[in-house]
Structure formats: structure tokens, C-alpha cells
């Protein structure tokens, strides 16, 4: 049974990034979930091929593989589930697409949205941005550890803090009630992704 582990790597498929190399480094360092997040410019075929390769790497180590937004890719590749953001399919619709047993993550920023997402079938919540981040444009202001705590206290499902998460800051997010942290730039933007990922597992 796939689990919603403590350390999530979100792929960075922007030009100049080697997503597969970073995934391999993070898995080797002990990350237990990989979320494939294709940029808008990535075609479905490219996203599918990337997902199949990431899924094979996850399966080999018994880790969990999710796909952000493109739920048809998650289904086609046989991934463990998906994640929907504020502008993607509504959570209840996403649950119908994925079926009753898949892992379904949803984005929430406050207790009210969080409770609604859980009622609609979310298995876990991606909560943030915890801190300011440059990985994604057009994001709202950071909610900080206090915002993460407010959501964690409002729901009974795991809360995954995302947004500007570094190894140095992960501890305060766990202390605020986050079950897990999701990392993008701190690993994929590092000169040595393996060493960067090890800082989180430590």
C-alpha cells in the first residue's frame, strides 16, 4: 500500500533541469514520495514518458509516485495517485476520476478550504506557500509555520507543507504539525542534489 511519506520531491521540468537525475538522487537519499509536476509547456506524451520512468524508479524502492494536475497521465501510467491545485479539477471530480483507492492530494491555504477538500475526498493536503518561493509564479503570500499549523489542527489527514522549504526550515514545519514537507528548488536547484536531499533526510 503506497504511503504519504515525510519527504516529498516535486519534479522541476523547467528547461535546463534534469528531472530524472534529481529524482534518482532524492530517492537514493531517502525521499519517499515523488510528485511529477509537468510544466504547462510539457506535452502529454512527454509528461507520460517522464511519469513512467519516475514510477519505475519509485517501484524499485517501494516509494510512492504521484502526478500533479494531469490525472489522466496518473491513470495511464499506473501511478499511486495525483494532486490537484486551486485551478485544477475540483477535489470531488478528481476523486471520481482516480477512483476510491488512489492517493489524492489537494492544495489548501486555510482551515475552511482544507475541511472542504477533505470532505470531498482528499487523502492529504498540500499547504502553502509556507515560505516565499521562486519555483512557481503568481503564488499568494507565504502563510508561514503558523498558517500550516492552523490547517493541520483543522483536519485529520496528513498536511504536506510546500513552498520555499529548505532543510534548515523543515524542522519548524514539522514542529508546527506538518506530517511532511514537499521540496522543489532546494534539491533540484542544488549543485549537488544528492547532498542537498541528504540534508533533509538527516
Amino acid at each position: 500500500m503506497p504511503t504519504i511519506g515525510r519527504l516529498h520531491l516535486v519534479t522541476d521540468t523547467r528547461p535546463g533541469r534534469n528531472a530524472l537525475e534529481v529524482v534518482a538522487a532524492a530517492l537514493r537519499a531517502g525521499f519517499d514520495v515523488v510528485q511529477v509536476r509537468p510544466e504547462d509547456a510539457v506535452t502529454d506524451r512527454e509528461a507520460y514518458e517522464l511519469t513512467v520512468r519516475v514510477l519505475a524508479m519509485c517501484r524499485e524502492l517501494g516509494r510512492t509516485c504521484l502526478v500533479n494536475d494531469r490525472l489522466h497521465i496518473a491513470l495511464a501510467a499506473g501511478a499511486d495517485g495525483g494532486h490537484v491545485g486551486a485551478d485544477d479539477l475540483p477535489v470531488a471530480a478528481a476523486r471520481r476520476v482516480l477512483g476510491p483507492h488512489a492517493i489524492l492530494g489537494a492544495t489548501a491555504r486555510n482551515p475552511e478550504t482544507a475541511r472542504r477538500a477533505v470532505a470531498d475526498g482528499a487523502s492529504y493536503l498540500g499547504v502553502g506557500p509556507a515560505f516565499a518561493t521562486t519555483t512557481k509564479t503568481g503564488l499568494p503570500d507565504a502563510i508561514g509555520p503558523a498558517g500550516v499549523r492552523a490547517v493541520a489542527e483543522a483536519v485529520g489527514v496528513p498536511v504536506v507543507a510546500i513552498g520555499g522549504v529548505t532543510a534548515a526550515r523543515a524542522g519548524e514545519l514539522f514542529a508546527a504539525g506538518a506530517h511532511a514537507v514537499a521540496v522543489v528548488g532546494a534539491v533540484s536547484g542544488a549543485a549537488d542534489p544528492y547532498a542537498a536531499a541528504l540534508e533533509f533526510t538527516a
Side-chain angles (χ1 to χ4, degrees), residues 1 11 17 59 72 103-104 117 124 133 142 151 179 184 189 197 199:
M1 183 68 187
T11 63
R17 305 282 169 123
R59 285 281 178 270
H72 59 300
I103 293 173
L104 173 59
Y124 76 89
T133 175
V151 174
H179 166 81
V184 192
E199 286 184 33

Side-chain angles (χ1 to χ4, degrees), residues 46-193:
E46 289 167 332
Y48 172 75
E49 285 169 359
L50 175 63
T51 302
V52 166
R53 294 178 72 179
V54 169
L55 182 61
M57 292 157 82
C58 288
R59 285 281 178 270
E60 203 176 307
L61 297 165
R63 312 283 168 76
T64 300
C65 177
L66 306 173
V67 179
N68 188 292
D69 176 21
R70 305 194 201 189
L71 303 183
H72 59 300
I73 303 278
L75 286 171
D80 298 304
H83 184 99
V84 289
D87 299 327
D88 303 330
L89 272 182
V91 179
R95 175 51 78 198
R96 284 196 294 275
V97 170
L98 288 178
H101 305 300
I103 293 173
L104 173 59
T107 298
R109 285 178 47 76
N110 56 56
E112 186 193 352
T113 324
R115 283 191 282 261
R116 194 174 332 135
V118 173
D120 286 345
S123 321
Y124 76 89
L125 298 173
V127 178
F131 303 102
T133 175
T134 55
T135 310
K136 225 175 164 188
T137 54
L139 285 175
D141 290 341
I143 60 172
V148 172
R149 182 187 301 279
V151 174
E153 287 174 351
V155 294
V157 301
V159 160
V160 182
I162 186 167
V165 178
T166 62
R169 288 166 165 170
E172 54 183 312
L173 294 169
F174 285 126
H179 166 81
V181 292
V183 183
V184 192
V187 173
S188 71
D192 183 343

